[in-house]
Amino acid sequence: MKKTLKLSLVMMLAVVGLTFASCSDDDDNTPTVGTVEDVNGEFTGKMTYTKEAKATEADPTATELELKVANDSIQFEKFPYQALVVELLGEEASKPIIKAIGDSLNYKINYTATMNAAKDSVVMTLKPEPLKIDVAGVEVTIETEKTASYAVSDKNLKFALKAASVKVGGADFPFTPMDLSFDMKKK
């Protein structure tokens, strides 16, 4: 009887021990919770642009580019300004200016960031300043109507800007606004 009781007790302890061991949390499928810092880093992708008058154009022009996001700003070391200059001056007249500037036009867009309710995207409220092309005496007013969005799981940053108006030498210049759409992937 004593032997049966001991055997029963050992078996019960073994069953209880296995029950706790099998209930351990080893599930690695838990979603990661994003933070606003997740958007920081280097990106590569495309900027497409269309003139407002041709917004229904099926194949907008695309330009490959890189940018960096750091804490509170989107930074372009080589902002793709060439399309704006060509639009302003025409193909031939823009060549000397593009040659003088090269491809190193810096531009920075400040932003404030928050996480969306699901904590899977960073929502960025952009605060663009005018784009200044000092060599040509050009100042382009940059606007945005929407927020930028960074999908944490896809590492994809999307935002849109509008080149709304242009001043040359301080005077307003006739210009058809251009929509600039950015689709960037984190490196």
Side-chain angles (χ1 to χ4, degrees):
M1 177 88 167
K2 218 175 183 188
K3 195 173 192 176
T4 308
L5 184 62
K6 272 188 181 181
L7 186 58
S8 296
L9 186 60
V10 168
M11 289 190 55
M12 249 176 28
L13 287 174
V15 169
V16 170
L18 288 174
T19 302
F20 287 119
S22 65
C23 291
S24 71
D25 187 14
D26 59 359
D27 187 10
D28 289 338
N29 294 333
T30 55
T32 57
V33 177
T35 66
V36 293
E37 288 83 22
D38 288 337
V39 72
N40 294 338
E42 295 181 3
F43 291 80
T44 185
K46 290 184 179 181
M47 177 196 79
T48 55
Y49 59 91
T50 56
K51 290 186 265 183
E52 198 169 76
K54 296 181 183 177
T56 59
E57 188 175 299
D59 186 25
T61 306
T63 302
E64 295 285 332
L65 72 143
E66 294 183 354
L67 59 85
K68 180 180 179 183
V69 177
N71 298 325
D72 61 353
S73 66
I74 298 173
Q75 303 164 6
F76 297 87
E77 287 184 19
K78 299 177 180 180
F79 187 82
Y81 69 93
Q82 295 86 343
L84 296 170
V85 174
V86 169
E87 181 64 27
L88 283 171
L89 305 174
E91 190 76 37
E92 286 303 312
S94 64
K95 285 181 181 179
I97 293 171
I98 292 172
K99 184 176 180 182
I101 297 170
D103 61 351
S104 61
L105 182 65
N106 294 323
Y107 184 60
K108 181 171 118 176
I109 304 169
N110 292 325
Y111 70 85
T112 54
T114 58
M115 292 302 296
N116 68 349
K119 303 262 187 225
D120 62 357
S121 292
V122 179
V123 178
M124 303 160 66
T125 303
L126 303 178
K127 302 171 187 171
E129 297 286 326
L131 173 65
K132 296 181 180 180
I133 306 173
D134 294 329
V135 171
V138 173
E139 182 177 297
V140 181
T141 302
I142 303 291
E143 300 174 349
T144 185
E145 296 175 6
K146 298 179 181 178
T147 56
S149 178
Y150 174 72
V152 175
S153 63
D154 298 339
K155 297 184 178 187
N156 196 9
L157 172 65
K158 291 185 177 192
F159 61 98
L161 302 173
K162 177 182 270 190
S165 63
V166 174
K167 289 186 178 186
V168 177
D172 288 336
F173 194 84
F175 175 75
T176 302
M178 293 178 75
D179 294 317
L180 313 171
S181 298
F182 297 84
D183 190 356
M184 310 299 295
K185 188 80 169 170
K186 195 170 193 178
K187 290 183 180 180

